[in-house]
Amino acid sequence: MFSLPKNVTLIEVGPRDGLQNEKNNISTDSKLAYIHALQKAGIKEMELTSFVSPKWVPQMADADEIVRKAKKYGRQIVLTPNDKGVQTALQAGAQNIAVFVGVSNTFNQKNINRTTEEAVNALRPVIKRLKQQGHFVRACISTAFHCPYEGWIKPEQTIALCQQFIDMDVDELSVADTDGMANPVVSYSLFNSLKERFPHILITAHFHDTRKLGLTNIYASLQAGVDRFDTSAGGLGGCPFAPGATGNVATEDVLYLLESLDIHTGIDLQKVILAVDEVAPHLSRPITTAMYQLSKRKE
Ligand code: HMG
Ligand code: MG
């Protein structure tokens, strides 16, 4: 038996990754109710929203209002791909910024209209300034395993992109299986390499559950020493520019796995279900996560 971490941090990405791909127009008040219910469940790190072009992702057009109105609690992160988004986010009062770039050029062209190199070069001075101003910076590395357009990505390519962000002194790498193609073997292998290579930085795994391997990938990553996971209450999510990708691995299902392994998160599973209840009526699709469905059967 491998030794597993005793404590794990879940970074809730439901309000951002979860809702960015939603077809229904969800009101700002409904999003805030979801965020506040998640806070009540004990979630202390959360991606609240993203500052991106509303023409590209209309669902995130109220980012400014979300940041201004969300109750301050724990580490609240906003996602953005460029300096314009960073400026607007800081004006709204955001303190913790996540930037994102894929390893794959084609994915970046589709997602942010830039090549990998163009995106990284543009972010370098932005991150430098953020760090000088004392902000927390998280770098989200998309298509770390596989790209929906280019196919499998070599681990060396992902590690090389991570190294570029380490050189920019980011605080956290969130390494993403964007289209849910990873399996436990490649998950263990990549995260083992990243933990060995970058021992002094927060390393987070971000799994989309397209092929229902999210929990097994998390178990494999725990064995590699990963103690931070991006998850989405209700299993919502998906990138509009990653065709076929479905939601993130669900917070409530991951909590059940972690509790069964005696791993502490400080998050109350039943209260996460209540948070899902807040958002579920506004969504265009039913919630199909195991723990959510079981909770309804008991009622
Ligand atoms: P572009 O068209 O090349 O941008 O899009 P541009 O610089 O030429 O500007 C065009 C217009 O967008 C201008 O407005 C800009 O002001 C505006 P106009 O003059 O036409 O009215 N603009 C912005 N507006 C608001 N916020 C901004 C911003 N920047 C420019 N930050 C751009 C380039 C990057 C803007 C666009 O491609 C975009 O917004 N892409 C976002 C795509 C996205 O949000 N994808 C999902 C998030 S990533 C993800 O989900 C993956 C992750 O979960 C990890 C994983 O699972 O892999 C993190
Ligand atoms: Mg994602």
Side-chain angles (χ1 to χ4, degrees):
M1 181 74 178
F2 295 85
S3 80
L4 301 176
K6 291 194 166 28
N7 296 293
V8 155
T9 301
L10 297 187
I11 299 92
E12 175 61 46
V13 297
R16 193 281 301 170
D17 202 326
L19 297 182
Q20 70 185 9
N21 208 19
E22 173 54 39
K23 288 186 190 67
N24 287 356
N25 183 23
I26 302 181
S27 73
T28 306
D29 283 348
S30 303
K31 291 179 186 175
L32 287 166
Y34 178 45
I35 289 169
H36 293 147
L38 289 164
Q39 290 175 343
K40 281 194 191 129
I43 287 168
K44 295 193 189 69
E45 299 198 32
M46 197 184 317
E47 281 189 0
L48 286 187
T49 183
S50 60
F51 287 78
V52 294
S53 164
K55 286 179 196 148
W56 285 62
V57 185
Q59 199 61 264
M60 297 285 110
D62 57 357
D64 192 277
E65 205 180 340
I66 293 282
V67 172
R68 289 180 197 277
K69 290 190 175 165
K71 288 181 192 147
K72 302 293 166 252
Y73 183 71
R75 181 180 289 146
Q76 298 181 326
I77 305 158
V78 300
L79 187 87
T80 187
N82 59 16
D83 193 29
K84 181 179 168 78
V86 168
Q87 297 302 335
T88 326
L90 295 182
Q91 277 160 24
Q95 292 297 323
N96 309 301
I97 306 287
V99 296
F100 59 96
V101 179
V103 184
S104 144
N105 258 321
T106 315
F107 176 73
N108 287 326
Q109 295 279 14
K110 305 267 186 196
N111 196 36
I112 50 174
N113 205 17
R114 305 283 182 274
T115 64
T116 310
E117 196 182 346
E118 285 167 350
V120 170
N121 286 341
L123 282 172
R124 199 169 278 114
V126 179
I127 292 175
K128 189 173 177 192
R129 208 178 52 240
L130 282 169
K131 289 296 299 171
Q132 281 166 351
Q133 293 168 351
H135 295 287
F136 178 93
V137 179
R138 152 175 158 112
C140 301
I141 309 295
S142 290
T143 61
F145 295 91
H146 184 269
C147 167
Y149 308 100
E150 291 186 12
W152 289 99
I153 300 288
K154 290 194 180 78
E156 306 85 76
Q157 289 174 270
T158 300
I159 292 168
L161 184 58
C162 290
Q163 181 69 60
Q164 296 204 57
F165 282 99
I166 298 279
D167 294 344
M168 294 179 218
D169 201 21
V170 298
D171 299 280
E172 179 184 14
L173 290 171
S174 168
V175 178
D177 177 25
T178 307
D179 55 351
M181 280 290 280
N183 59 57
V185 174
V186 295
S187 299
Y188 179 85
S189 174
L190 181 62
F191 282 107
N192 196 40
S193 302
L194 292 171
K195 290 294 282 187
E196 269 180 20
R197 203 162 171 131
F198 308 124
H200 302 304
I201 187 162
L202 298 176
I203 292 189
T204 301
H206 177 114
F207 291 111
H208 282 268
D209 207 15
T210 316
R211 289 168 183 78
K212 297 288 167 232
L213 290 186
L215 290 179
T216 60
N217 294 340
I218 286 187
Y219 188 59
S221 309
L222 284 167
Q223 291 174 355
V226 176
D227 58 1
R228 298 173 59 81
F229 297 95
D230 290 349
T231 62
S232 162
L236 316 179
C239 175
F241 307 100
T246 61
N248 294 91
V249 63
T251 308
E252 57 271 30
D253 292 352
V254 175
L255 281 173
Y256 184 78
L257 171 68
L258 296 176
E259 282 174 14
S260 70
L261 295 170
D262 231 359
I263 296 175
H264 182 255
T265 62
I267 300 169
D268 184 325
L269 200 164
Q270 294 315 316
K271 290 187 180 163
V272 170
I273 301 283
L274 296 178
V276 180
D277 280 336
E278 281 290 346
V279 75
H282 309 294
L283 301 173
S284 58
R285 64 174 185 93
I287 305 287
T288 56
T289 67
M291 294 314 292
Y292 188 75
Q293 290 199 335
L294 275 170
S295 77
K296 298 303 144 198
R297 241 178 269 165
K298 271 191 247 150
E299 278 173 8

